Amino acid sequence: MSRRQFLASAAAIGAASAVQSLIIPPAAWAAAPKIIRADTRVIEVAGRAANVLGLVQPDGTHGLTVSAADGFQVRLENALAAPTLIHWHGLTPPFGQDGVPDLPQPLLQPGQSYDYNFPIATPGTHWMHAHTLQEQQLLAAPLIVTDPAEDGADEQPVVVLLHDFSFKTPEELLAGLTGSAPASDNGGMAGHAMSGMGTQGMSTERGMAMPMDVNDIEYDAYLSNDRTLDDPQVFTVERNGTVRLRLINGATATAFWIDTGTLEGEVIAVDGNPVVPLRGSGFPLAMGQRIDIRLSIPGDKGAWPILALREGGVQRTGFVLATMGGEVKRIASAGDRAGPPLDLSFETRLAAAKPLAERIADIHEPVELGGAMQGYSWTLNGRTWSNHQPIPVKKGGRVELTMRNASMMGHPMHLHGHHFQVVAIDGRRFAGAVRDTVWMPPMREVTVAFDAVNPGTWAFHCHHLYHMATGMMTVVDYIA
Ligand code: C2O
Ligand code: CU
């Protein structure tokens, strides 16, 4: 199914009157709105000019920072030659302003604009991106919501959006995945244009070695704020200063390990939500996820690279923190060791700083993640989007979704309109992180809980763009 057909089928569902009746039109703005323009840009990747898209303010700033106190008052303008729409990933708008095509807003036509206006309940490190294949073309940018309670904090924000870049069009990449490649018995794609497909040995609980699939696309480059390690962004930091990394995995199909090197960090938030601080120097970051890491800069002059290593590959991207006079050394874009597959060991150690209220769930729904590289079809509860069955919940209820990954590939699962708390991993209950996207490794089970307080028909999907585009999406649906 092409993206156009995919959108058309979404349109048919979006047209249902029950959906339309839920739309709350935005109220008038109190002050002049911020303008965000979807536009074309030219960046340089590996010495070549690359035509990409972007989300820019009139002064040229890519991305947006707003205060939670001001709410979200934004006019989105489409300066592209093609229709588009932007989703505010991490915000919990009223249904109608979420930015998923036909859920319920139709695509924004060239030259047109949409107005958004709603209070922000979720400060933190978020992002905004097209909910279409345009995400691959970098129609994605940071969306930082500052918390007035932290206004006095003496820390320097360093905002970086990671991305996977290809000189091919997303349509070509998708066709390469769904094409009639001869499938080999390990589920790999030998002889296929997508040579980046990796298979890693994985031991199951039963001790059997199973082939696990990572990285179904070979990209031309991995970017940190549009730049590769050949010409990384260097942030000037102060000796003895405190830096707050706000890192966003805006890649479409690549999970990373963040490596803070010799600077030990303290994770203070995931997906914008505060966690009990956790120290370390290596942290997993799946597509769609964000992580805030606090770093103390040493008292001597110096330079510290912060790297993002591709899961299951030697490729890496990153940026540098340097004091005045600190010597920035060249770092190769390929390391000598492949990053391991993402797992749940970090997730297991996270604890929400602001957990959900204790409550027995009244709604339990299983969600089975299925699919395979062979045929490139990915499903939720055995169904693709064109055939999806909404996950029914009731307004006001405490919902628990128990996701089980029955496929041999990891999936970052994202729910719109809510943040959820991770409350169990493989049946073991704990008060884990509150977040909006959780990594589901092969053959693992994760339960998330949320309160159904934001009625709508909310997208629930894998944040691997090509898994979503080939069907790995459904909705969580309830009315006011
Ligand atoms: Cu970041 Cu459904 O999206
Ligand atoms: Cu997936």
Side-chain angles (χ1 to χ4, degrees):
M1 181 159 65
S2 75
R3 181 68 204 178
R4 192 160 285 124
Q5 289 166 323
F6 173 68
L7 292 173
S9 62
I13 290 144
S17 57
V19 169
Q20 296 295 333
S21 68
L22 284 172
I23 303 169
I24 303 166
W29 292 306
K34 307 259 192 183
I35 311 277
I36 286 291
R37 198 168 286 148
D39 210 343
T40 54
R41 300 183 297 150
V42 180
I43 61 172
E44 194 187 291
V45 180
R48 271 173 77 181
N51 296 303
V52 298
L53 310 180
L55 292 164
V56 285
Q57 298 183 45
D59 69 0
T61 307
H62 193 233
L64 183 65
T65 299
V66 296
S67 167
D70 295 338
F72 195 72
Q73 310 199 18
V74 168
R75 170 165 288 167
L76 173 68
E77 298 179 349
N78 184 3
L80 302 173
T84 193
L85 194 63
I86 300 304
H87 164 56
W88 322 111
H89 185 136
L91 305 190
T92 52
F95 188 63
Q97 301 185 58
D98 190 44
V100 178
D102 301 309
L103 275 177
Q105 280 192 305
L107 285 167
L108 179 59
Q109 295 303 310
Q112 306 283 300
S113 66
Y114 277 145
D115 293 346
Y116 297 88
N117 186 2
F118 54 88
I120 301 180
T122 54
T125 302
H126 303 311
W127 63 304
M128 48 187 170
H129 63 85
H131 219 269
T132 67
L133 292 183
Q134 291 165 332
E135 185 193 1
Q136 181 70 76
Q137 296 163 292
L138 264 168
L139 199 51
L143 170 50
I144 306 300
V145 181
T146 58
D147 184 345
E150 294 171 344
D151 274 351
D154 189 16
E155 53 187 24
Q156 175 185 353
V158 167
V159 178
V160 177
L161 182 130
L162 305 171
H163 190 67
D164 41 17
F165 174 85
S166 177
F167 283 103
K168 292 189 180 138
T169 67
E171 289 76 13
E172 286 175 279
L173 295 175
L174 180 58
L177 291 166
T178 57
S180 49
S184 66
D185 35 2
N186 69 352
M189 303 183 81
H192 194 270
M194 299 300 143
S195 58
M197 173 60 205
T199 301
Q200 302 247 337
M202 187 193 125
S203 302
T204 65
E205 285 98 312
R206 293 181 301 279
M208 282 154 49
M210 300 269 289
M212 166 185 175
D213 297 325
V214 291
N215 296 331
D216 40 16
I217 295 181
E218 186 65 9
Y219 284 98
D220 292 317
Y222 298 88
L223 307 179
S224 297
N225 287 350
D226 303 340
R227 294 159 76 159
T228 64
L229 281 171
D230 296 337
D231 174 32
Q233 187 169 7
V234 178
F235 294 87
T236 303
V237 297
E238 275 171 41
R239 298 176 187 198
N240 294 316
T242 302
V243 166
R244 177 184 190 148
L245 300 179
R246 291 178 175 272
L247 307 182
I248 302 156
N249 187 352
T252 64
T254 305
F256 292 102
W257 286 95
I258 306 301
D259 177 5
T260 61
T262 57
L263 291 180
E264 204 192 37
E266 193 176 45
V267 176
I268 53 175
V270 294
D271 299 354
N273 299 279
V275 291
V276 175
L278 188 61
R279 298 196 67 83
S281 59
F283 309 101
L285 195 64
M287 300 80 95
Q289 292 183 326
R290 289 84 68 207
I291 190 167
D292 287 30
I293 306 169
R294 188 177 283 145
L295 297 172
S296 300
I297 305 299
D300 294 331
K301 71 178 180 191
W304 299 272
I306 307 294
L307 301 177
L309 317 171
R310 181 194 190 202
E311 174 198 40
V314 295
Q315 296 88 345
R316 57 194 183 186
T317 181
F319 55 95
V320 180
L321 307 177
T323 63
M324 296 290 278
E327 192 200 342
V328 178
K329 295 213 184 76
R330 180 69 186 266
I331 301 154
S333 287
D336 34 42
R337 253 179 350 105
L342 260 61
D343 60 16
L344 289 171
S345 49
F346 173 69
E347 199 66 51
T348 308
R349 293 165 60 213
L350 288 175
K354 296 179 190 164
L356 292 188
E358 289 276 350
R359 181 173 165 190
I360 304 287
D362 12 49
I363 300 155
H364 295 267
E365 288 288 333
V367 182
E368 181 162 291
L369 284 50
M373 292 300 297
Q374 288 185 2
Y376 211 77
S377 171
W378 302 94
T379 56
L380 295 176
N381 287 334
R383 293 161 174 268
T384 59
W385 171 246
S386 55
N387 194 24
H388 76 278
Q389 210 156 46
I391 295 173
V393 311
K394 276 206 177 54
K395 187 181 174 220
R398 167 67 56 88
V399 184
E400 286 192 5
L401 303 178
T402 295
M403 292 174 274
R404 206 185 86 77
N405 186 358
S407 80
M408 287 316 296
M409 194 166 185
H411 305 279
M413 291 299 300
H414 171 48
L415 173 63
H416 286 229
H418 308 74
H419 287 220
F420 50 66
Q421 185 175 11
V422 176
V423 294
I425 292 180
D426 296 324
R428 193 183 68 82
R429 301 212 46 116
F430 73 117
V434 174
R435 43 163 68 253
D436 61 35
T437 306
V438 69
W439 178 249
M440 293 291 310
M443 301 298 149
R444 302 294 296 273
E445 188 185 276
V446 175
T447 302
V448 298
F450 64 91
D451 289 324
V453 292
N454 193 13
T457 304
W458 299 102
F460 177 54
H461 64 91
C462 173
H463 219 291
H464 182 305
L465 179 60
Y466 301 92
H467 293 183
M468 182 181 80
T470 54
M472 202 166 190
M473 170 156 141
T474 184
V475 291
V476 166
D477 191 25
Y478 59 104
I479 55 173

